[in-house]
PDB file of all heavy atoms in Angstrom:
ATOM      1  N   GLU A1173      10.844   6.259 -12.306  1.00 96.00           N
ATOM      2  CA  GLU A1173      10.151   5.144 -11.666  1.00 96.00           C
ATOM      3  C   GLU A1173      11.119   3.999 -11.389  1.00 96.00           C
ATOM      4  O   GLU A1173      11.117   3.414 -10.290  1.00 96.00           O
ATOM      5  CB  GLU A1173       9.015   4.673 -12.571  1.00 96.00           C
ATOM      6  CG  GLU A1173       8.141   3.584 -11.973  1.00 96.00           C
ATOM      7  CD  GLU A1173       6.933   3.315 -12.859  1.00 96.00           C
ATOM      8  OE1 GLU A1173       7.126   2.773 -13.974  1.00 96.00           O
ATOM      9  OE2 GLU A1173       5.813   3.657 -12.445  1.00 96.00           O
ATOM     10  N   ILE A1174      11.969   3.684 -12.359  1.00 97.00           N
ATOM     11  CA  ILE A1174      12.958   2.623 -12.160  1.00 97.00           C
ATOM     12  C   ILE A1174      13.939   3.012 -11.073  1.00 97.00           C
ATOM     13  O   ILE A1174      14.260   2.204 -10.190  1.00 97.00           O
ATOM     14  CB  ILE A1174      13.685   2.318 -13.485  1.00 97.00           C
ATOM     15  CG1 ILE A1174      12.733   1.605 -14.457  1.00 97.00           C
ATOM     16  CG2 ILE A1174      14.930   1.474 -13.244  1.00 97.00           C
ATOM     17  CD1 ILE A1174      13.325   1.362 -15.826  1.00 97.00           C
ATOM     18  N   TYR A1175      14.420   4.241 -11.111  1.00 97.00           N
ATOM     19  CA  TYR A1175      15.391   4.684 -10.111  1.00 97.00           C
ATOM     20  C   TYR A1175      14.825   4.558  -8.700  1.00 97.00           C
ATOM     21  O   TYR A1175      15.495   4.040  -7.795  1.00 97.00           O
ATOM     22  CB  TYR A1175      15.790   6.126 -10.386  1.00 97.00           C
ATOM     23  CG  TYR A1175      16.850   6.648  -9.426  1.00 97.00           C
ATOM     24  CD1 TYR A1175      18.127   6.110  -9.420  1.00 97.00           C
ATOM     25  CD2 TYR A1175      16.559   7.662  -8.528  1.00 97.00           C
ATOM     26  CE1 TYR A1175      19.097   6.574  -8.553  1.00 97.00           C
ATOM     27  CE2 TYR A1175      17.523   8.144  -7.651  1.00 97.00           C
ATOM     28  CZ  TYR A1175      18.786   7.594  -7.673  1.00 97.00           C
ATOM     29  OH  TYR A1175      19.738   8.053  -6.795  1.00 97.00           O
ATOM     30  N   LEU A1176      13.599   5.009  -8.517  1.00 96.00           N
ATOM     31  CA  LEU A1176      12.990   4.955  -7.189  1.00 96.00           C
ATOM     32  C   LEU A1176      12.782   3.517  -6.720  1.00 96.00           C
ATOM     33  O   LEU A1176      12.684   3.276  -5.511  1.00 96.00           O
ATOM     34  CB  LEU A1176      11.647   5.690  -7.193  1.00 96.00           C
ATOM     35  CG  LEU A1176      11.701   7.209  -7.382  1.00 96.00           C
ATOM     36  CD1 LEU A1176      10.285   7.791  -7.372  1.00 96.00           C
ATOM     37  CD2 LEU A1176      12.552   7.886  -6.316  1.00 96.00           C
ATOM     38  N   ASN A1177      12.727   2.570  -7.647  1.00 96.00           N
ATOM     39  CA  ASN A1177      12.462   1.179  -7.273  1.00 96.00           C
ATOM     40  C   ASN A1177      13.692   0.281  -7.245  1.00 96.00           C
ATOM     41  O   ASN A1177      13.580  -0.885  -6.848  1.00 96.00           O
ATOM     42  CB  ASN A1177      11.416   0.578  -8.220  1.00 96.00           C
ATOM     43  CG  ASN A1177       9.998   1.024  -7.873  1.00 96.00           C
ATOM     44  OD1 ASN A1177       9.454   0.651  -6.842  1.00 96.00           O
ATOM     45  ND2 ASN A1177       9.408   1.854  -8.732  1.00 96.00           N
ATOM     46  N   VAL A1178      14.858   0.791  -7.663  1.00 96.00           N
ATOM     47  CA  VAL A1178      16.066  -0.050  -7.618  1.00 96.00           C
ATOM     48  C   VAL A1178      17.190   0.558  -6.787  1.00 96.00           C
ATOM     49  O   VAL A1178      18.135  -0.144  -6.429  1.00 96.00           O
ATOM     50  CB  VAL A1178      16.612  -0.371  -9.035  1.00 96.00           C
ATOM     51  CG1 VAL A1178      15.572  -1.088  -9.869  1.00 96.00           C
ATOM     52  CG2 VAL A1178      17.132   0.868  -9.734  1.00 96.00           C
ATOM     53  N   ALA A1179      17.116   1.862  -6.483  1.00 95.00           N
ATOM     54  CA  ALA A1179      18.188   2.480  -5.693  1.00 95.00           C
ATOM     55  C   ALA A1179      18.283   1.816  -4.325  1.00 95.00           C
ATOM     56  O   ALA A1179      17.270   1.431  -3.732  1.00 95.00           O
ATOM     57  CB  ALA A1179      17.932   3.975  -5.546  1.00 95.00           C
ATOM     58  N   GLU A1180      19.495   1.677  -3.840  1.00 95.00           N
ATOM     59  CA  GLU A1180      19.696   1.107  -2.510  1.00 95.00           C
ATOM     60  C   GLU A1180      19.327   2.164  -1.475  1.00 95.00           C
ATOM     61  O   GLU A1180      19.858   3.265  -1.485  1.00 95.00           O
ATOM     62  CB  GLU A1180      21.142   0.660  -2.329  1.00 95.00           C
ATOM     63  CG  GLU A1180      21.354  -0.209  -1.116  1.00 95.00           C
ATOM     64  CD  GLU A1180      22.733  -0.847  -1.072  1.00 95.00           C
ATOM     65  OE1 GLU A1180      23.562  -0.507  -1.951  1.00 95.00           O
ATOM     66  OE2 GLU A1180      22.980  -1.682  -0.178  1.00 95.00           O
ATOM     67  N   TRP A1181      18.418   1.788  -0.534  1.00 94.00           N
ATOM     68  CA  TRP A1181      17.864   2.777   0.385  1.00 94.00           C
ATOM     69  C   TRP A1181      17.974   2.328   1.839  1.00 94.00           C
ATOM     70  O   TRP A1181      17.211   2.788   2.685  1.00 94.00           O
ATOM     71  CB  TRP A1181      16.407   3.072   0.036  1.00 94.00           C
ATOM     72  CG  TRP A1181      16.166   4.532  -0.225  1.00 94.00           C
ATOM     73  CD1 TRP A1181      16.401   5.580   0.633  1.00 94.00           C
ATOM     74  CD2 TRP A1181      15.641   5.128  -1.426  1.00 94.00           C
ATOM     75  NE1 TRP A1181      16.062   6.767   0.053  1.00 94.00           N
ATOM     76  CE2 TRP A1181      15.598   6.524  -1.218  1.00 94.00           C
ATOM     77  CE3 TRP A1181      15.211   4.601  -2.634  1.00 94.00           C
ATOM     78  CZ2 TRP A1181      15.132   7.413  -2.183  1.00 94.00           C
ATOM     79  CZ3 TRP A1181      14.745   5.478  -3.584  1.00 94.00           C
ATOM     80  CH2 TRP A1181      14.702   6.868  -3.364  1.00 94.00           C
ATOM     81  N   GLY A1182      18.910   1.453   2.109  1.00 91.00           N
ATOM     82  CA  GLY A1182      19.092   0.999   3.475  1.00 91.00           C
ATOM     83  C   GLY A1182      20.334   0.163   3.610  1.00 91.00           C
ATOM     84  O   GLY A1182      20.902  -0.288   2.608  1.00 91.00           O
ATOM     85  N   PRO A1183      20.792  -0.100   4.833  1.00 92.00           N
ATOM     86  CA  PRO A1183      22.052  -0.801   5.053  1.00 92.00           C
ATOM     87  C   PRO A1183      21.952  -2.317   5.015  1.00 92.00           C
ATOM     88  O   PRO A1183      22.962  -3.003   5.084  1.00 92.00           O
ATOM     89  CB  PRO A1183      22.447  -0.332   6.458  1.00 92.00           C
ATOM     90  CG  PRO A1183      21.131  -0.126   7.146  1.00 92.00           C
ATOM     91  CD  PRO A1183      20.191   0.396   6.095  1.00 92.00           C
ATOM     92  N   ASN A1184      20.725  -2.841   4.895  1.00 92.00           N
ATOM     93  CA  ASN A1184      20.561  -4.290   5.023  1.00 92.00           C
ATOM     94  C   ASN A1184      19.695  -4.853   3.900  1.00 92.00           C
ATOM     95  O   ASN A1184      18.736  -5.573   4.129  1.00 92.00           O
ATOM     96  CB  ASN A1184      19.939  -4.632   6.386  1.00 92.00           C
ATOM     97  CG  ASN A1184      19.975  -6.117   6.673  1.00 92.00           C
ATOM     98  OD1 ASN A1184      20.860  -6.840   6.214  1.00 92.00           O
ATOM     99  ND2 ASN A1184      18.988  -6.581   7.431  1.00 92.00           N
ATOM    100  N   GLY A1185      20.046  -4.489   2.669  1.00 93.00           N
ATOM    101  CA  GLY A1185      19.344  -5.046   1.521  1.00 93.00           C
ATOM    102  C   GLY A1185      18.018  -4.394   1.210  1.00 93.00           C
ATOM    103  O   GLY A1185      17.183  -5.012   0.540  1.00 93.00           O
ATOM    104  N   GLU A1186      17.801  -3.156   1.666  1.00 95.00           N
ATOM    105  CA  GLU A1186      16.569  -2.435   1.322  1.00 95.00           C
ATOM    106  C   GLU A1186      16.771  -1.723  -0.017  1.00 95.00           C
ATOM    107  O   GLU A1186      17.575  -0.802  -0.121  1.00 95.00           O
ATOM    108  CB  GLU A1186      16.190  -1.416   2.400  1.00 95.00           C
ATOM    109  CG  GLU A1186      15.769  -2.040   3.718  1.00 95.00           C
ATOM    110  CD  GLU A1186      16.918  -2.278   4.674  1.00 95.00           C
ATOM    111  OE1 GLU A1186      18.064  -1.930   4.305  1.00 95.00           O
ATOM    112  OE2 GLU A1186      16.689  -2.808   5.775  1.00 95.00           O
ATOM    113  N   PHE A1187      16.038  -2.157  -1.022  1.00 96.00           N
ATOM    114  CA  PHE A1187      16.131  -1.559  -2.349  1.00 96.00           C
ATOM    115  C   PHE A1187      14.792  -0.936  -2.711  1.00 96.00           C
ATOM    116  O   PHE A1187      13.740  -1.526  -2.509  1.00 96.00           O
ATOM    117  CB  PHE A1187      16.514  -2.608  -3.391  1.00 96.00           C
ATOM    118  CG  PHE A1187      17.931  -3.103  -3.257  1.00 96.00           C
ATOM    119  CD1 PHE A1187      18.220  -4.191  -2.444  1.00 96.00           C
ATOM    120  CD2 PHE A1187      18.971  -2.474  -3.919  1.00 96.00           C
ATOM    121  CE1 PHE A1187      19.512  -4.654  -2.315  1.00 96.00           C
ATOM    122  CE2 PHE A1187      20.273  -2.927  -3.794  1.00 96.00           C
ATOM    123  CZ  PHE A1187      20.555  -4.013  -2.984  1.00 96.00           C
ATOM    124  N   GLY A1188      14.863   0.258  -3.258  1.00 95.00           N
ATOM    125  CA  GLY A1188      13.651   0.965  -3.643  1.00 95.00           C
ATOM    126  C   GLY A1188      13.101   1.812  -2.520  1.00 95.00           C
ATOM    127  O   GLY A1188      13.315   1.553  -1.333  1.00 95.00           O
ATOM    128  N   ALA A1189      12.374   2.843  -2.919  1.00 96.00           N
ATOM    129  CA  ALA A1189      11.848   3.805  -1.943  1.00 96.00           C
ATOM    130  C   ALA A1189      10.820   3.185  -1.009  1.00 96.00           C
ATOM    131  O   ALA A1189      10.694   3.619   0.141  1.00 96.00           O
ATOM    132  CB  ALA A1189      11.234   4.996  -2.677  1.00 96.00           C
ATOM    133  N   GLU A1190      10.083   2.181  -1.479  1.00 97.00           N
ATOM    134  CA  GLU A1190       9.076   1.560  -0.613  1.00 97.00           C
ATOM    135  C   GLU A1190       9.746   0.878   0.579  1.00 97.00           C
ATOM    136  O   GLU A1190       9.342   1.079   1.737  1.00 97.00           O
ATOM    137  CB  GLU A1190       8.235   0.558  -1.402  1.00 97.00           C
ATOM    138  CG  GLU A1190       7.169  -0.161  -0.586  1.00 97.00           C
ATOM    139  CD  GLU A1190       6.054   0.745  -0.082  1.00 97.00           C
ATOM    140  OE1 GLU A1190       5.944   1.893  -0.580  1.00 97.00           O
ATOM    141  OE2 GLU A1190       5.293   0.311   0.807  1.00 97.00           O
ATOM    142  N   ALA A1191      10.783   0.095   0.322  1.00 96.00           N
ATOM    143  CA  ALA A1191      11.503  -0.566   1.411  1.00 96.00           C
ATOM    144  C   ALA A1191      12.182   0.458   2.305  1.00 96.00           C
ATOM    145  O   ALA A1191      12.216   0.310   3.529  1.00 96.00           O
ATOM    146  CB  ALA A1191      12.528  -1.545   0.845  1.00 96.00           C
ATOM    147  N   GLY A1192      12.730   1.523   1.693  1.00 95.00           N
ATOM    148  CA  GLY A1192      13.380   2.556   2.486  1.00 95.00           C
ATOM    149  C   GLY A1192      12.411   3.306   3.379  1.00 95.00           C
ATOM    150  O   GLY A1192      12.714   3.604   4.542  1.00 95.00           O
ATOM    151  N   ALA A1193      11.213   3.604   2.850  1.00 96.00           N
ATOM    152  CA  ALA A1193      10.208   4.312   3.644  1.00 96.00           C
ATOM    153  C   ALA A1193       9.679   3.437   4.776  1.00 96.00           C
ATOM    154  O   ALA A1193       9.458   3.918   5.894  1.00 96.00           O
ATOM    155  CB  ALA A1193       9.060   4.766   2.743  1.00 96.00           C
ATOM    156  N   GLN A1194       9.481   2.158   4.488  1.00 96.00           N
ATOM    157  CA  GLN A1194       9.008   1.252   5.534  1.00 96.00           C
ATOM    158  C   GLN A1194      10.039   1.129   6.654  1.00 96.00           C
ATOM    159  O   GLN A1194       9.679   1.092   7.843  1.00 96.00           O
ATOM    160  CB  GLN A1194       8.713  -0.134   4.934  1.00 96.00           C
ATOM    161  CG  GLN A1194       7.524  -0.177   3.984  1.00 96.00           C
ATOM    162  CD  GLN A1194       6.190  -0.032   4.692  1.00 96.00           C
ATOM    163  OE1 GLN A1194       6.116  -0.042   5.915  1.00 96.00           O
ATOM    164  NE2 GLN A1194       5.124   0.095   3.923  1.00 96.00           N
ATOM    165  N   ARG A1195      11.317   1.084   6.293  1.00 94.00           N
ATOM    166  CA  ARG A1195      12.358   0.964   7.304  1.00 94.00           C
ATOM    167  C   ARG A1195      12.453   2.227   8.153  1.00 94.00           C
ATOM    168  O   ARG A1195      12.579   2.167   9.372  1.00 94.00           O
ATOM    169  CB  ARG A1195      13.714   0.685   6.647  1.00 94.00           C
ATOM    170  CG  ARG A1195      14.852   0.580   7.659  1.00 94.00           C
ATOM    171  CD  ARG A1195      16.186   0.336   7.004  1.00 94.00           C
ATOM    172  NE  ARG A1195      17.220   0.143   8.020  1.00 94.00           N
ATOM    173  CZ  ARG A1195      17.876   1.128   8.606  1.00 94.00           C
ATOM    174  NH1 ARG A1195      17.607   2.394   8.283  1.00 94.00           N
ATOM    175  NH2 ARG A1195      18.799   0.873   9.522  1.00 94.00           N
ATOM    176  N   ALA A1196      12.407   3.393   7.494  1.00 94.00           N
ATOM    177  CA  ALA A1196      12.635   4.653   8.203  1.00 94.00           C
ATOM    178  C   ALA A1196      11.401   5.157   8.938  1.00 94.00           C
ATOM    179  O   ALA A1196      11.513   5.664  10.065  1.00 94.00           O
ATOM    180  CB  ALA A1196      13.115   5.719   7.215  1.00 94.00           C
ATOM    181  N   PHE A1197      10.221   5.021   8.315  1.00 96.00           N
ATOM    182  CA  PHE A1197       9.036   5.679   8.857  1.00 96.00           C
ATOM    183  C   PHE A1197       7.863   4.736   9.118  1.00 96.00           C
ATOM    184  O   PHE A1197       6.795   5.180   9.550  1.00 96.00           O
ATOM    185  CB  PHE A1197       8.580   6.793   7.891  1.00 96.00           C
ATOM    186  CG  PHE A1197       9.668   7.750   7.521  1.00 96.00           C
ATOM    187  CD1 PHE A1197      10.156   7.811   6.218  1.00 96.00           C
ATOM    188  CD2 PHE A1197      10.232   8.588   8.468  1.00 96.00           C
ATOM    189  CE1 PHE A1197      11.164   8.687   5.868  1.00 96.00           C
ATOM    190  CE2 PHE A1197      11.246   9.478   8.133  1.00 96.00           C
ATOM    191  CZ  PHE A1197      11.711   9.523   6.839  1.00 96.00           C
ATOM    192  N   ARG A1198       8.066   3.444   8.809  1.00 95.00           N
ATOM    193  CA  ARG A1198       6.987   2.468   8.988  1.00 95.00           C
ATOM    194  C   ARG A1198       5.725   2.874   8.227  1.00 95.00           C
ATOM    195  O   ARG A1198       4.608   2.721   8.697  1.00 95.00           O
ATOM    196  CB  ARG A1198       6.663   2.277  10.477  1.00 95.00           C
ATOM    197  CG  ARG A1198       7.818   1.741  11.297  1.00 95.00           C
ATOM    198  CD  ARG A1198       8.153   0.314  10.887  1.00 95.00           C
ATOM    199  NE  ARG A1198       9.177  -0.269  11.726  1.00 95.00           N
ATOM    200  CZ  ARG A1198      10.482  -0.249  11.481  1.00 95.00           C
ATOM    201  NH1 ARG A1198      10.930   0.354  10.387  1.00 95.00           N
ATOM    202  NH2 ARG A1198      11.346  -0.816  12.297  1.00 95.00           N
ATOM    203  N   LYS A1199       5.941   3.402   7.039  1.00 95.00           N
ATOM    204  CA  LYS A1199       4.802   3.767   6.181  1.00 95.00           C
ATOM    205  C   LYS A1199       5.211   3.599   4.730  1.00 95.00           C
ATOM    206  O   LYS A1199       6.400   3.499   4.410  1.00 95.00           O
ATOM    207  CB  LYS A1199       4.355   5.202   6.441  1.00 95.00           C
ATOM    208  CG  LYS A1199       5.410   6.261   6.105  1.00 95.00           C
ATOM    209  CD  LYS A1199       4.831   7.670   6.082  1.00 95.00           C
ATOM    210  CE  LYS A1199       4.333   8.126   7.428  1.00 95.00           C
ATOM    211  NZ  LYS A1199       3.907   9.550   7.390  1.00 95.00           N
ATOM    212  N   SER A1200       4.217   3.551   3.851  1.00 96.00           N
ATOM    213  CA  SER A1200       4.477   3.410   2.431  1.00 96.00           C
ATOM    214  C   SER A1200       5.033   4.706   1.854  1.00 96.00           C
ATOM    215  O   SER A1200       4.753   5.802   2.347  1.00 96.00           O
ATOM    216  CB  SER A1200       3.182   3.033   1.701  1.00 96.00           C
ATOM    217  OG  SER A1200       3.366   3.062   0.295  1.00 96.00           O
ATOM    218  N   MET A1201       5.806   4.568   0.771  1.00 95.00           N
ATOM    219  CA  MET A1201       6.280   5.747   0.055  1.00 95.00           C
ATOM    220  C   MET A1201       5.115   6.558  -0.507  1.00 95.00           C
ATOM    221  O   MET A1201       5.273   7.736  -0.826  1.00 95.00           O
ATOM    222  CB  MET A1201       7.216   5.343  -1.086  1.00 95.00           C
ATOM    223  CG  MET A1201       6.568   4.485  -2.167  1.00 95.00           C
ATOM    224  SD  MET A1201       7.694   3.985  -3.498  1.00 95.00           S
ATOM    225  CE  MET A1201       7.748   5.485  -4.486  1.00 95.00           C
ATOM    226  N   ARG A1202       3.959   5.927  -0.614  1.00 95.00           N
ATOM    227  CA  ARG A1202       2.761   6.625  -1.100  1.00 95.00           C
ATOM    228  C   ARG A1202       2.331   7.731  -0.137  1.00 95.00           C
ATOM    229  O   ARG A1202       1.678   8.701  -0.554  1.00 95.00           O
ATOM    230  CB  ARG A1202       1.604   5.640  -1.274  1.00 95.00           C
ATOM    231  CG  ARG A1202       1.842   4.510  -2.270  1.00 95.00           C
ATOM    232  CD  ARG A1202       0.725   3.485  -2.180  1.00 95.00           C
ATOM    233  NE  ARG A1202       0.803   2.435  -3.171  1.00 95.00           N
ATOM    234  CZ  ARG A1202       1.509   1.313  -3.027  1.00 95.00           C
ATOM    235  NH1 ARG A1202       2.216   1.129  -1.910  1.00 95.00           N
ATOM    236  NH2 ARG A1202       1.522   0.396  -3.976  1.00 95.00           N
ATOM    237  N   ASN A1203       2.679   7.569   1.144  1.00 95.00           N
ATOM    238  CA  ASN A1203       2.161   8.464   2.181  1.00 95.00           C
ATOM    239  C   ASN A1203       3.232   9.354   2.796  1.00 95.00           C
ATOM    240  O   ASN A1203       3.014   9.945   3.850  1.00 95.00           O
ATOM    241  CB  ASN A1203       1.505   7.631   3.291  1.00 95.00           C
ATOM    242  CG  ASN A1203       0.399   6.734   2.752  1.00 95.00           C
ATOM    243  OD1 ASN A1203      -0.394   7.157   1.920  1.00 95.00           O
ATOM    244  ND2 ASN A1203       0.358   5.494   3.207  1.00 95.00           N
ATOM    245  N   LEU A1204       4.382   9.465   2.157  1.00 95.00           N
ATOM    246  CA  LEU A1204       5.449  10.290   2.702  1.00 95.00           C
ATOM    247  C   LEU A1204       5.087  11.765   2.657  1.00 95.00           C
ATOM    248  O   LEU A1204       4.546  12.268   1.663  1.00 95.00           O
ATOM    249  CB  LEU A1204       6.745  10.072   1.918  1.00 95.00           C
ATOM    250  CG  LEU A1204       7.431   8.717   2.053  1.00 95.00           C
ATOM    251  CD1 LEU A1204       8.636   8.651   1.128  1.00 95.00           C
ATOM    252  CD2 LEU A1204       7.838   8.445   3.496  1.00 95.00           C
ATOM    253  N   GLY A1205       5.398  12.465   3.740  1.00 93.00           N
ATOM    254  CA  GLY A1205       5.265  13.915   3.742  1.00 93.00           C
ATOM    255  C   GLY A1205       6.481  14.558   3.113  1.00 93.00           C
ATOM    256  O   GLY A1205       7.481  13.906   2.807  1.00 93.00           O
ATOM    257  N   ARG A1206       6.438  15.858   2.950  1.00 93.00           N
ATOM    258  CA  ARG A1206       7.525  16.582   2.289  1.00 93.00           C
ATOM    259  C   ARG A1206       8.840  16.433   3.045  1.00 93.00           C
ATOM    260  O   ARG A1206       9.888  16.181   2.439  1.00 93.00           O
ATOM    261  CB  ARG A1206       7.140  18.053   2.156  1.00 93.00           C
ATOM    262  CG  ARG A1206       8.166  18.920   1.450  1.00 93.00           C
ATOM    263  CD  ARG A1206       7.597  20.286   1.181  1.00 93.00           C
ATOM    264  NE  ARG A1206       8.608  21.203   0.666  1.00 93.00           N
ATOM    265  CZ  ARG A1206       8.355  22.433   0.269  1.00 93.00           C
ATOM    266  NH1 ARG A1206       7.119  22.909   0.334  1.00 93.00           N
ATOM    267  NH2 ARG A1206       9.322  23.205  -0.183  1.00 93.00           N
ATOM    268  N   ASN A1207       8.818  16.570   4.355  1.00 94.00           N
ATOM    269  CA  ASN A1207      10.046  16.456   5.142  1.00 94.00           C
ATOM    270  C   ASN A1207      10.589  15.026   5.134  1.00 94.00           C
ATOM    271  O   ASN A1207      11.801  14.810   5.098  1.00 94.00           O
ATOM    272  CB  ASN A1207       9.806  16.916   6.580  1.00 94.00           C
ATOM    273  CG  ASN A1207       9.534  18.413   6.678  1.00 94.00           C
ATOM    274  OD1 ASN A1207       9.956  19.176   5.798  1.00 94.00           O
ATOM    275  ND2 ASN A1207       8.841  18.830   7.715  1.00 94.00           N
ATOM    276  N   GLU A1208       9.688  14.049   5.163  1.00 95.00           N
ATOM    277  CA  GLU A1208      10.121  12.650   5.111  1.00 95.00           C
ATOM    278  C   GLU A1208      10.755  12.334   3.755  1.00 95.00           C
ATOM    279  O   GLU A1208      11.781  11.639   3.686  1.00 95.00           O
ATOM    280  CB  GLU A1208       8.932  11.733   5.384  1.00 95.00           C
ATOM    281  CG  GLU A1208       8.405  11.830   6.810  1.00 95.00           C
ATOM    282  CD  GLU A1208       7.049  11.182   6.991  1.00 95.00           C
ATOM    283  OE1 GLU A1208       6.280  11.120   6.004  1.00 95.00           O
ATOM    284  OE2 GLU A1208       6.757  10.737   8.118  1.00 95.00           O
ATOM    285  N   ALA A1209      10.151  12.835   2.680  1.00 95.00           N
ATOM    286  CA  ALA A1209      10.719  12.627   1.348  1.00 95.00           C
ATOM    287  C   ALA A1209      12.104  13.256   1.246  1.00 95.00           C
ATOM    288  O   ALA A1209      13.015  12.693   0.632  1.00 95.00           O
ATOM    289  CB  ALA A1209       9.793  13.206   0.284  1.00 95.00           C
ATOM    290  N   ALA A1210      12.268  14.430   1.857  1.00 95.00           N
ATOM    291  CA  ALA A1210      13.563  15.101   1.833  1.00 95.00           C
ATOM    292  C   ALA A1210      14.614  14.304   2.601  1.00 95.00           C
ATOM    293  O   ALA A1210      15.776  14.222   2.183  1.00 95.00           O
ATOM    294  CB  ALA A1210      13.432  16.510   2.399  1.00 95.00           C
ATOM    295  N   LEU A1211      14.231  13.708   3.726  1.00 95.00           N
ATOM    296  CA  LEU A1211      15.160  12.865   4.470  1.00 95.00           C
ATOM    297  C   LEU A1211      15.540  11.632   3.648  1.00 95.00           C
ATOM    298  O   LEU A1211      16.704  11.199   3.658  1.00 95.00           O
ATOM    299  CB  LEU A1211      14.539  12.431   5.799  1.00 95.00           C
ATOM    300  CG  LEU A1211      14.479  13.489   6.900  1.00 95.00           C
ATOM    301  CD1 LEU A1211      13.634  13.001   8.072  1.00 95.00           C
ATOM    302  CD2 LEU A1211      15.895  13.833   7.384  1.00 95.00           C
ATOM    303  N   MET A1212      14.577  11.073   2.924  1.00 95.00           N
ATOM    304  CA  MET A1212      14.866   9.935   2.062  1.00 95.00           C
ATOM    305  C   MET A1212      15.894  10.319   0.997  1.00 95.00           C
ATOM    306  O   MET A1212      16.837   9.579   0.716  1.00 95.00           O
ATOM    307  CB  MET A1212      13.589   9.440   1.396  1.00 95.00           C
ATOM    308  CG  MET A1212      12.575   8.816   2.331  1.00 95.00           C
ATOM    309  SD  MET A1212      12.875   7.066   2.634  1.00 95.00           S
ATOM    310  CE  MET A1212      12.470   6.380   1.025  1.00 95.00           C
ATOM    311  N   ALA A1213      15.711  11.501   0.399  1.00 95.00           N
ATOM    312  CA  ALA A1213      16.635  11.949  -0.640  1.00 95.00           C
ATOM    313  C   ALA A1213      18.021  12.221  -0.069  1.00 95.00           C
ATOM    314  O   ALA A1213      19.030  11.997  -0.743  1.00 95.00           O
ATOM    315  CB  ALA A1213      16.080  13.202  -1.319  1.00 95.00           C
TER     316      ALA A1213
END
């Protein structure tokens, strides 16, 4: 849980999977599909 919320997930100060998902897919990490989660990883 900590890792998913502190890892750097973008080039402009996006930290955590929520910020990364919003930047990449314009959706919450709660709603990521399998392929989207794999791209995040």
